[in-house]
Structures are given as C-alpha cells and as structure tokens.
C-alpha cells in the first residue's frame, strides 16, 4: 500500500495547476481534422516540460482536476507505491517503460496519448509542474487549418444552396523521413466529388480542389450558363 506522504503533499499543494481540469484532446483535434494532417512527427525518447501537459485522450480522466485524479485514478495507489519505492524513476533520463507518450497540434500544449496518465499526474506534483520530464515519447501533428476552413466553407455553401454535390476527403501518405528513434510522415489531402444530378464523379488533389471551388465561386449562380471546362465537369448541371 502507498503511504499517505505523497497524498498529503498533493492535498497541501497551493500550486494553481492542481485544481485545473484535465482537458480533452478531442476538444482541440476534431475528427474532421484527420484528412488535413500534413505532417506527423514522432520522437521515441525525449524530454518535455511537465507544465505543458494539459490534458489526455482517456475519457475517464477528462474533466477531473489533477488533484482529483491523484485521489481517484484507477491505478493510482499502485503507481504512488512504485514512485515511493523508486523515486529515481521520475528523475533519471532513461526511457520510461512502459512508454509514456504525449501528442500535440501546436508543440506548445500536450496531451497524454496512449499511456502514462497516472505517472504524468504524479510527475506534475513531484516537479511542481515546472521541470523537464525525461525519457518520454512525443507526437507532433501539423494541420492545414487554412485549407480545412476553405473546405468547410464550401461544404456550408453546398448545404445552404442545396446543391446536388457530395464531397469525401481522404489522406494519402506521401513520404517518410526517419532515423534512430524518430520519424516524420508527410501526407496529402485528396477529395472525391460526386454530382448526383448528372451522375458524375471526380477525384482531385488539394490544388485541383482549390481550383474547382474557386471556379465555382467565380461563376456561382451563372454556372449553368457557362461552358464548364472538362476538369470541372462535376459542376455541370448544378
């Protein structure tokens, strides 16, 4: 059994972070963003500012404060006991096993990814939320927000004007760069557009889709009077 020493430290903590709610990864990374991820960088063994960890993917812990999580975490008694038996685990530079992983979309605010929720909470109190936590893995995602907004604007136009169009979005892996303990994957966004009125279908790269939407925006209500170029044939008859 874990002693009350650490729990007393947590209860007495006056640090502001202790009563902040653990935020949800899914509040910052919408499912709609997935096809618009243009780069995914993974580093196997690195360090992170423990204060930059603000949330998690785990649904059971979202909304708790860090202090509350110490008290009710499912495996917290065992993890506290392990900490008290071997505090050096948290201070040394060795790769943490089982792996502790974090994920971010801005390289500023991080969320617990696959594993490490309990040890992260313990580390935040041990280090008073202001020390490098070493031996962890991180994933950084880069999202093309501008094109996502561009795409969403077109989808809203389709709905507002009740156009007979449907757009699917997919991501295609392009290339990987890697080395010892790291990798960086690059992706391209692809679009599939269906016109239900004239039963046509076309696939577009991001650049081509941008041209399609720009052409539609220029012609707009007069599009039925234009001789639509073949590459934009999916817009005919709308």
């Amino acid at each position: 059994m874990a002693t009350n020493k650490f729990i007393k430290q947590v209860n007495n903590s006056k640090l502001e972070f202790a009563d902040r709610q653990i935020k949800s990864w899914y509040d910052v990374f919408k499912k709609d963003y997935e096809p618009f991820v243009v780069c995914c960088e993974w580093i196997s063994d690195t360090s992170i500012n423990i204060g930059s960890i603000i949330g998690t993917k785990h649904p059971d812990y979202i909304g708790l404060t860090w202090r509350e999580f110490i008290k009710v975490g499912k495996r917290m008694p065992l993890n506290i006991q392990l900490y008290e038996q071997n505090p050096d685990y948290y201070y040394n530079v060795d790769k943490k096993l089982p792996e502790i992983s974090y994920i971010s979309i801005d390289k500023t605010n991080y969320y617990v990814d696959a594993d490490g929720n309990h040890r992260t909470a313990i580390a935040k109190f041990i280090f008073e939320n202001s020390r490098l936590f070493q031996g962890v893995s991180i994933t950084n995602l880069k999202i093309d927000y501008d094109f996502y907004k561009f795409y969403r604007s077109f989808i809203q136009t389709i709905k507002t004007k009740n156009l007979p169009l449907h757009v699917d979005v997919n991501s295609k892996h392009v290339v990987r760069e890697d080395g010892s303990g790291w990798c960086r994957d690059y992706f391209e966004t692809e679009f599939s557009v269906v016109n239900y009125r004239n039963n046509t279908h076309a696939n577009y790269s991001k650049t081509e889709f941008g041209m399609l939407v720009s052409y539609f925006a220029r012609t707009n209500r007069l599009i039925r009077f234009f001789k639509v170029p073949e590459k934009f044939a999916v817009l005919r008859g709308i």
Side-chain angles (χ1 to χ4, degrees):
M1 287 289 293
T3 69
N4 291 324
K5 182 179 178 181
F6 179 72
I7 295 298
K8 184 176 181 180
Q9 176 188 343
V10 171
N11 288 337
N12 292 337
S13 176
K14 304 298 184 183
L15 296 172
E16 181 186 358
F17 90 90
D19 295 310
R20 290 179 190 159
Q21 287 188 322
I22 299 172
K23 296 185 178 181
S24 170
W25 165 251
Y26 304 103
D27 285 344
V28 297
F29 187 78
K30 303 175 185 178
K31 189 171 180 58
D32 283 358
Y33 287 164
E34 289 181 4
F36 295 89
V37 172
V38 294
C39 182
C40 176
E41 177 188 55
W42 172 78
I43 304 173
S44 171
D45 186 357
T46 187
S47 61
I48 190 170
N49 180 346
I50 195 70
S52 69
I53 303 159
I54 64 170
T56 183
K57 285 185 175 182
H58 200 299
D60 291 352
Y61 311 135
I62 292 166
L64 295 174
T65 67
W66 292 103
R67 198 193 309 267
E68 289 170 341
F69 181 34
I70 291 291
K71 298 176 182 179
V72 303
K74 293 177 182 177
R75 295 185 299 278
M76 197 61 80
L78 173 60
N79 278 275
I80 294 173
Q81 184 178 25
L82 291 172
Y83 156 61
E84 293 179 336
Q85 291 171 352
N86 181 24
D88 287 345
Y89 172 88
Y90 286 85
Y91 290 92
N92 66 41
V93 300
D94 298 339
K95 170 75 174 175
K96 299 296 183 284
L97 295 173
E99 184 176 77
I100 298 177
S101 57
Y102 302 106
I103 189 167
S104 177
I105 57 172
D106 57 13
K107 294 187 177 182
T108 300
N109 297 307
Y110 284 85
Y111 298 75
V112 180
D113 192 356
D115 200 4
N117 285 282
H118 295 76
R119 286 170 288 165
T120 295
I122 291 171
K124 287 176 83 71
F125 282 96
I126 295 171
F127 300 149
E128 297 187 334
N129 211 38
S130 62
R131 181 188 171 108
L132 288 180
F133 191 25
Q134 303 185 75
V136 303
S137 76
I138 62 171
T139 298
N140 291 308
L141 303 180
K142 183 178 180 181
I143 301 168
D144 188 342
Y145 291 108
D146 290 339
F147 210 87
Y148 172 76
K149 293 174 183 176
F150 180 78
Y151 155 77
R152 288 302 309 170
S153 178
F154 185 56
I155 295 301
Q156 187 58 47
T157 297
I158 290 174
K159 292 179 179 179
T160 301
K161 296 181 178 294
N162 196 28
L163 300 175
L165 298 176
H166 176 77
V167 181
D168 281 324
V169 193
N170 294 291
S171 180
K172 180 178 76 172
H173 184 258
V174 179
V175 68
R176 165 173 284 193
E177 300 172 350
D178 58 23
S180 177
W182 71 276
C183 70
R184 190 177 294 121
D185 291 295
Y186 294 91
F187 303 88
E188 288 182 354
T189 308
E190 297 182 322
F191 299 84
S192 177
V193 184
V194 176
N195 183 329
Y196 294 114
R197 183 170 293 160
N198 65 13
N199 198 30
T200 56
H201 169 270
N203 296 318
Y204 298 98
S205 67
K206 184 166 70 173
T207 300
E208 292 168 338
F209 182 76
M211 293 170 62
L212 175 83
V213 175
S214 295
Y215 176 82
F216 172 81
R218 290 197 308 271
T219 57
N220 204 355
R221 297 178 184 177
L222 301 176
I223 195 166
R224 68 186 61 188
F225 302 110
F226 282 74
K227 184 178 180 180
V228 179
E230 190 61 33
K231 62 181 177 180
F232 302 143
V234 73
L235 295 177
R236 290 172 181 166
I238 65 171

